[in-house]
């Protein structure tokens, strides 16, 4: 059977958005549909730099194409503004070019994520179908959609800044939000927070209305009450690499260090603490040292992902004096790990995590208990759901100086590891996740319905 349809997939240019969109792109391509994956140029270059030297694009089932953002090493707000200034018009031009070059396989659908709202606007301009993949859970998307009402009711101002210290209820069935876990909250970057709220969060209602499909990287049984608030939403997750048979997988902007897998093979079953805090979490030197000392105090095997830009000063990470020598026999430190393979390994006992949605869904899919240390945005809510609602983890809290101490981490970690009820709950969620993406499962059925719609 030949190709049926041509889909352009384009994420917001960040690791947390790239991964799930790339997994979805692969799943679409597995059904005989042509897929062009469009990235901002600087992300495209980072992806290629992380692939093996002998990598050739034709070995993967999708085409990777960059579009210009006029990126010139900007950071923070200036980079976001550059993306917004260039991505919409350049995506439109690219699709028009693709259609001119492939008159028999014109683009019939654009798949994007809510933060890359311009993808849906371009699709509408061209008169083609548009699908949005929500990569951060449907519950958090519900709050974003509710933000205009929060302004009208005086909970927040037009910049998303809380005006009331009250719980926010979206329904009787869902866990309420507090003002410290708003999905756009960036307490250490107030100007970026205001810009994100005005230019992204408030656009989600329009994106919802203009999308032909709202897909979610989650499964119905995990967030059942939230799906009742968005009847249009179709859970198609968990989106995991084990279902797309791809090696190498072009979904990372950091080089994976696979030596940690061989190291894990040498560790006892259910013994290793896996500590990883995503692609954007940063901490000061004092906090970094507390993390290090906490892992040392635990006295058991640990795998710690430490990015080169993990600390705030922008310099190379500085470990406590003598730390690496003292933990050399029990600890493994890498800059980036093949996380799904790590979490699936039998030696892993728990996941010390920032609770980003990708990490959350990957941990849930592998039945791993969480030690939660959320950093910002949706992670705050995710951490509370993990610990209080799903009851598959324990959360750490900072002291009066804003530091999560080594003693807080050690105490909560020990509590987590001696709780058979938490492990049992984690195993139950894993079974639900596996069933949802198996043949006849809720997410599998939703995805196949989406595929049939694209083909016809």
């Amino acid at each position: 059977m030949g190709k049926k349809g041509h889909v352009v997939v384009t994420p917001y240019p960040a690791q947390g958005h790239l991964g799930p969109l790339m997994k979805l792109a692969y799943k679409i391509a597995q059904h005989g549909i042509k897929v062009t994956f469009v990235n901002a140029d600087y992300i495209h270059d980072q992806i290629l730099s992380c692939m093996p030297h002998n990598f050739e694009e034709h070995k993967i089932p999708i085409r990777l194409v960059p579009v210009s953002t006029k990126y010139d090493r900007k950071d923070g707000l200036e980079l976001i503004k550059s993306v917004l200034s260039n991505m919409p018009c350049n995506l439109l031009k690219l699709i028009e070019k693709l259609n001119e070059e492939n008159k028999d396989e014109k683009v019939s659908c654009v798949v994007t994520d809510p933060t890359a709202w311009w993808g849906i606007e371009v699709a509408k301009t061209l008169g083609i179908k548009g699908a949005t993949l929500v990569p951060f859970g449907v519950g958090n998307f519900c709050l974003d959609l509710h933000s205009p009402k929060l302004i009208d009711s005086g909970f927040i101002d037009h910049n998303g800044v809380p005006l009331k210290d009250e719980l926010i209820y979206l329904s009787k069935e869902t866990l309420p939000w507090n003002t410290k876990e708003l999905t756009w909250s960036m307490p250490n970057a107030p100007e970026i927070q205001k810009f994100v709220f005005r230019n992204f969060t408030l656009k989600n209602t329009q994106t919802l209305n203009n999308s032909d499909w709202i897909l979610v990287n989650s499964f119905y049984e995990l967030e059942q009450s939230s799906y009742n608030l968005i009847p249009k939403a179709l859970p198609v997750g968990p989106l995991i690499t084990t279902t797309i048979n791809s090696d190498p997988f072009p979904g990372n902007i950091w080089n994976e260090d696979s030596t940690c897998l061989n190291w894990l093979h040498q560790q006892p079953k259910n013994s290793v603490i896996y500590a990883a805090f995503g692609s954007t979490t940063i901490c000061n030197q004092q906090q970094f040292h507390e993390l290090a000392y906490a892992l040392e105090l635990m006295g058991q095997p640990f795998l710690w992902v430490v990015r080169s830009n993990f600390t705030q000063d922008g310099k190379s990470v500085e470990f406590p004096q003598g730390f690496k020598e003292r933990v050399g026999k029990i600890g493994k430190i890498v800059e980036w790990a093949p996380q799904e393979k790590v979490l699936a390994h039998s030696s892993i006992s728990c996941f010390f995590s920032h609770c980003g949605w990708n990490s959350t869904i990957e941990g849930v899919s592998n039945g791993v208990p969480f030690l939660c240390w959320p950093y910002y945005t949706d992670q705050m809510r995710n951490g509370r759901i993990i610990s209080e609602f799903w009851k598959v983890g324990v959360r750490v809290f900072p002291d009066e100086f804003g530091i999560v101490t080594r003693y807080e981490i050690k105490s909560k970690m020990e509590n987590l590891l001696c709780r058979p009820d938490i492990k049992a709950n984690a195993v139950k969620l894993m079974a639900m996740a596996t069933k949802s993406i198996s043949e006849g499962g809720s997410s599998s059925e939703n995805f196949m319905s989406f595929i049939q719609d694209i083909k016809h």
Side-chain angles (χ1 to χ4, degrees):
M1 182 176 64
K3 298 281 185 181
K4 289 190 176 181
H6 181 183
V7 175
V8 164
V9 181
T10 181
Y12 182 81
Q15 179 66 65
H17 300 253
L18 166 65
L21 266 291
M22 186 68 79
K23 293 170 190 175
L24 182 66
Y26 266 69
K27 285 177 67 68
I28 293 171
Q30 286 176 340
H31 291 273
I33 297 170
K34 182 176 181 178
V35 178
T36 300
F37 199 95
V38 180
N39 261 314
D41 45 7
Y42 65 96
I43 294 290
H44 176 87
D45 292 343
Q46 287 178 274
I47 289 174
L48 295 186
S49 70
C50 292
M51 298 296 284
H53 293 302
N54 61 351
F55 166 72
E56 296 177 3
E57 191 173 309
H58 68 264
K59 291 183 179 179
I60 66 174
I62 64 177
R63 181 187 180 195
L64 304 177
V65 178
V67 294
S68 175
T69 56
K70 298 182 179 178
Y71 172 66
D72 59 358
R73 309 302 299 175
K74 302 183 186 74
D75 290 310
L77 188 55
E78 289 306 310
L79 175 57
I80 298 173
K81 289 180 178 179
S82 178
V83 168
L84 287 183
S85 297
N86 294 282
M87 283 295 288
C89 59
N90 288 338
L91 177 64
L92 177 63
K93 292 176 182 178
L94 174 65
I95 294 177
E96 290 177 334
K97 180 180 178 182
L98 292 174
N99 287 339
E100 183 65 28
E101 295 173 346
N102 304 275
K103 294 185 182 297
D104 295 330
E105 290 183 324
K106 290 188 175 183
V107 176
S108 54
C109 180
V110 176
V111 180
T112 187
D113 69 74
T115 312
W117 46 261
W118 52 84
I120 294 300
E121 292 195 354
V122 167
K124 188 174 182 180
T125 298
L126 295 173
I128 58 180
K129 298 287 188 178
T132 297
L133 173 69
V134 181
F136 40 75
V138 72
N140 288 312
F141 190 52
C142 285
L143 183 68
D144 285 357
L145 296 174
H146 200 71
S147 57
K149 293 182 180 178
L150 294 179
I151 294 174
D152 293 341
S153 61
F155 268 98
I156 57 176
D157 66 16
H158 285 81
N159 292 315
V161 177
L163 300 175
K164 297 180 180 180
D165 187 16
E166 298 177 12
L167 292 176
I168 300 169
Y169 290 85
L170 299 189
S171 75
K172 294 180 179 179
E173 293 78 24
T174 57
L175 199 67
W177 276 258
N178 65 57
T179 54
K180 294 182 180 179
E181 56 187 26
L182 303 177
T183 55
W184 54 88
S185 178
M186 300 181 187
N188 296 322
E191 289 305 311
I192 296 180
Q193 175 182 309
K194 292 176 183 178
F195 189 87
V196 166
F197 181 76
R198 288 190 164 203
N199 290 275
F200 296 98
T201 305
L202 290 177
K203 279 186 169 287
N204 279 331
T205 299
Q206 183 179 344
T207 298
L208 173 72
N209 294 333
N210 289 339
S211 298
D212 295 283
W213 302 274
I214 295 293
L215 311 175
V216 188
N217 183 21
S218 184
F219 53 100
Y220 181 75
E221 295 79 4
L222 190 66
E223 302 183 273
Q224 184 172 344
S225 57
S226 294
Y227 284 107
N228 296 332
L229 299 175
I230 313 178
K232 189 176 180 178
L234 293 175
V236 295
L239 296 170
I240 50 179
T241 53
T242 53
T243 64
I244 61 176
N245 301 317
S246 170
D247 194 18
F249 174 65
N252 286 302
I253 58 175
W254 291 83
N255 281 302
E256 291 183 344
D257 186 342
S258 295
T259 63
C260 63
L261 297 177
N262 292 328
W263 181 84
L264 287 174
H265 295 335
Q266 302 168 32
Q267 308 309 316
K269 185 177 180 180
N270 199 37
S271 68
V272 177
I273 298 167
Y274 175 52
F277 307 101
S279 59
T280 57
T281 300
I282 57 174
C283 59
N284 60 36
Q285 198 63 48
Q286 180 185 358
Q287 180 64 83
F288 180 72
H289 280 193
E290 288 298 310
L291 287 173
Y293 286 130
L295 292 171
E296 182 179 355
L297 282 172
M298 285 300 298
Q300 68 183 74
F302 67 85
L303 171 59
W304 187 13
V305 177
V306 181
R307 304 185 326 271
S308 58
N309 63 349
F310 189 44
T311 51
Q312 286 175 328
D313 58 12
K315 301 177 183 178
S316 59
V317 173
E318 295 181 7
F319 290 88
Q321 186 173 5
F323 171 77
K324 286 188 174 182
E325 292 75 18
R326 293 193 301 273
V327 301
K329 293 184 178 180
I330 63 170
K332 175 74 171 177
I333 300 170
V334 297
E335 189 168 9
W336 197 252
Q339 182 160 287
E340 289 185 62
K341 293 179 181 178
V342 168
L343 290 170
H345 201 281
S346 61
S347 68
I348 297 298
S349 63
C350 67
F351 186 7
F352 189 8
S353 172
H354 68 308
C355 305
W357 187 255
N358 289 320
S359 292
T360 297
I361 203 75
E362 289 163 8
V364 164
S365 299
N366 287 286
V368 180
F370 289 81
L371 184 64
C372 305
W373 183 38
Y375 178 61
Y376 68 171
T377 60
D378 66 314
Q379 300 162 17
M380 312 305 290
R381 170 75 171 183
N382 296 341
R384 192 153 72 93
I385 290 178
I386 289 169
S387 58
E388 296 180 19
F389 194 65
W390 300 335
K391 299 185 185 303
V392 295
V394 174
R395 183 172 171 180
V396 297
F397 293 94
D399 63 13
E400 65 270 28
F401 304 107
I403 297 295
V404 179
T405 69
R406 68 192 78 173
Y407 307 109
E408 166 73 359
I409 295 170
K410 182 176 184 290
S411 173
K412 295 295 179 65
M413 182 75 75
E414 290 174 341
N415 176 262
L416 175 68
L417 294 177
C418 72
R419 292 276 300 276
D421 58 316
I422 288 179
K423 179 61 178 178
N425 290 337
V427 170
K428 288 179 183 178
L429 284 188
M430 177 178 67
M432 292 179 188
T434 301
K435 182 178 180 180
S436 71
I437 56 176
S438 300
E439 185 175 355
S442 55
S443 290
S444 176
E445 291 292 299
N446 287 336
F447 178 74
M448 290 309 302
S449 174
F450 170 61
I451 291 296
Q452 292 306 314
D453 286 345
I454 291 178
K455 286 185 174 182
H456 301 98

